[in-house]
Amino acid sequence: MTESTTPLSAPSARPQPKPWIAQIHAYVPGKSTGLDGKPLVKLSANENPLGTSAAAVAARATTPGAALYPDPDSKDLRNALGRLHGIDPARIVMGTGSDELLHIAAQAFAGVGDEVLFVRYGFSVYPIAARRCGATPVEAPDVDYGTDVDALLAAVTERTRVVFLANPNNPTGSYIGRAELARLHAGLRPDILLVVDQAYAEYVAPEDADGAFELARTTDNVLVTRTFSKIYGLAGERIGWATGPEAVVDMLNRIRGPFNVSLTGQAMGLAAVEDQAFVQASAAHNRAERARFVAALAALGNHGLRPLPSEANFVLIEFTGALTAEAAYLGLMEAGYITRWLPGQGLPQCLRITIGTPAQMDVIAATLRRLAEAAR
Ligand SMILES: Cc1ncc(COP(=O)(O)O)c(C=O)c1O
């Protein structure tokens, strides 16, 4: 056999996935039905219980026919976001949900042999984003389910290329303030991209803002991602955006989907940005209902239900008493509500519950009380 005809390795009978892709466990979305397929009230995916801004719904009705491609650059939407947040629209890149942006941020700056770092109990897309580009996901220890800046900094190695921080974090609801975020950034090498995932930032009181937008504007290595899926009530339209240094935004623009925000998404997103009254109302509703729910849990006394402090539109409850998180999950399902039990994320002792309407939260609190008292 001549060298040119010698196969490099035995041919496979079928296409072989890259090993780092084969290692991925697919993202597990919040369910909308019970074990028997019956539709339930969905408090499992952190959607807006108030729905969508009426102005955004009206904008959908006047969108031109679907035969046309949308604006590939989502110019009007980027301009509106730029005006609202005081950001140069040239430094804004849109995504098919912020999910696309998290993936392409990892892909643009990390690859085989590199590490992507995040905190334990971080958002479950981060390990997928890391593996998808061949990088190794690395988890830093948490502190009581929250972000530990010192632990993150201690976990940085010469291979670290990207650090993901959800702030507030999903599923824990934990949050670090401006000083801690600045300390994290200051402790990272300048060649490491810090991605601050602000999917829930609009729920945080303005005076408690973490300063990530400022870092994205003034430094060379901070990217902030945001979404229309949560407070804007547009999860179904799949719209996300990110802002950061021009050089970083430029890379993301090269690899994002060319028409990655749909016609209706751009029209509804634009109307939603211009209806900040709806955003304010949603934030106020969340603050009030979250406080009321946490107080109802506190009133359960020592049944071992501990709501973790949350700055987001959900509460993670740790169950340490006779009532387990699994039993509470099943009991709530029987009462007609689907919540998020998280054994797959190493949190079998926890249940994440999205803040719903006042009536829904009354049923949730009453059901948890009944289950906790029965479990004694
Ligand atoms: C922390 C965090 N980041 C990003 C996302 C992705 O949202 P989307 O792709 O809908 O923008 C979510 C959704 O649950 C989230 O919780």
Side-chain angles (χ1 to χ4, degrees):
M1 246 185 197
T2 64
E3 204 186 335
S4 62
T5 56
T6 307
L8 289 174
S9 58
S12 293
R14 62 183 84 87
Q16 294 300 299
K18 290 295 174 196
W20 51 88
I21 300 293
Q23 284 169 0
I24 291 175
H25 299 285
Y27 180 76
V28 182
K31 293 194 179 76
S32 55
T33 58
L35 300 177
D36 55 0
K38 201 176 77 183
L40 299 173
V41 176
K42 190 179 175 200
L43 297 179
S44 61
N46 305 336
E47 294 144 327
N48 190 334
L50 304 187
T52 309
S53 141
V57 174
R60 177 171 51 194
T62 57
T63 315
L68 303 177
Y69 277 109
D71 171 7
D73 298 319
S74 304
K75 249 184 262 75
D76 293 345
L77 186 47
R78 285 190 301 112
N79 286 339
L81 287 167
R83 275 194 305 277
L84 176 66
H85 294 290
I87 297 170
D88 176 0
R91 294 176 63 149
I92 293 176
V93 50
M94 303 304 299
T96 308
S98 53
D99 194 58
E100 179 188 20
L101 298 160
L102 298 172
H103 284 290
I104 64 176
Q107 192 185 358
F109 295 96
V112 175
D114 297 332
E115 292 175 353
V116 171
L117 175 64
F118 44 87
V119 72
R120 189 172 174 215
Y121 310 128
F123 182 42
S124 58
V125 157
Y126 304 155
I128 300 175
R131 289 203 196 282
R132 203 167 110 161
C133 61
T136 304
V138 177
E139 276 187 7
D142 60 301
V143 53
D144 192 21
Y145 298 100
T147 296
D148 183 338
V149 167
D150 293 310
L152 273 171
L153 290 175
V156 169
T157 73
E158 60 190 15
R159 295 176 170 219
T160 308
R161 294 288 173 270
V162 175
V163 175
F164 281 120
L165 173 74
N167 205 37
N169 182 47
N170 172 19
T172 60
S174 68
Y175 186 69
I176 61 169
R178 177 180 288 267
E180 279 295 90
L181 183 64
R183 194 164 74 80
L184 172 61
H185 174 256
L188 294 175
R189 289 194 318 268
D191 66 304
I192 297 174
L193 180 70
L194 173 60
V195 180
V196 185
D197 173 350
Q198 291 197 331
Y200 302 95
E202 296 92 346
Y203 290 107
V204 177
E207 63 272 21
D208 296 331
D210 63 12
F213 273 163
E214 228 167 281
L215 292 173
R217 184 170 52 82
T218 57
T219 74
D220 289 331
N221 66 332
V222 175
L223 182 76
V224 178
T225 60
R226 288 224 174 176
T227 184
F228 283 77
S229 301
K230 306 300 174 185
I231 211 163
Y232 282 100
L234 284 167
E237 290 293 327
R238 312 302 305 122
I239 318 161
W241 60 283
T243 184
E246 268 169 48
V248 172
V249 168
D250 176 27
M251 289 304 131
L252 302 191
N253 268 320
R254 294 182 194 204
I255 59 173
R256 69 173 169 83
F259 299 99
N260 61 350
V261 183
S262 70
L263 265 181
T264 50
Q266 291 186 37
M268 294 182 84
L270 181 59
V273 168
E274 287 168 353
D275 184 3
Q276 286 300 306
F278 177 80
V279 173
Q280 301 305 331
S282 299
H285 165 270
N286 187 64
R287 230 182 339 270
E289 283 309 305
R290 191 180 60 204
R292 212 166 64 83
F293 182 51
V294 168
L297 292 173
L300 285 180
N302 56 356
H303 285 293
L305 275 65
R306 178 167 78 111
L308 300 175
S310 172
E311 291 292 331
N313 65 339
F314 55 84
V315 173
L316 188 71
I317 306 172
E318 183 193 36
F319 289 73
T320 57
L323 177 65
T324 64
E326 181 180 16
Y329 172 67
L330 295 172
L332 287 168
M333 214 186 274
E334 222 155 82
Y337 288 77
I338 184 87
T339 58
R340 192 74 188 260
W341 181 43
L342 295 153
Q345 269 191 262
L347 292 165
Q349 73 282 24
C350 293
L351 199 57
R352 193 194 70 193
I353 302 181
T354 302
I355 300 300
T357 64
Q360 290 167 354
M361 297 321 287
D362 284 345
V363 177
I364 296 276
T367 306
L368 287 175
R369 169 177 286 278
R370 180 172 54 73
L371 294 168
E373 286 174 352
R376 262 195 294 185

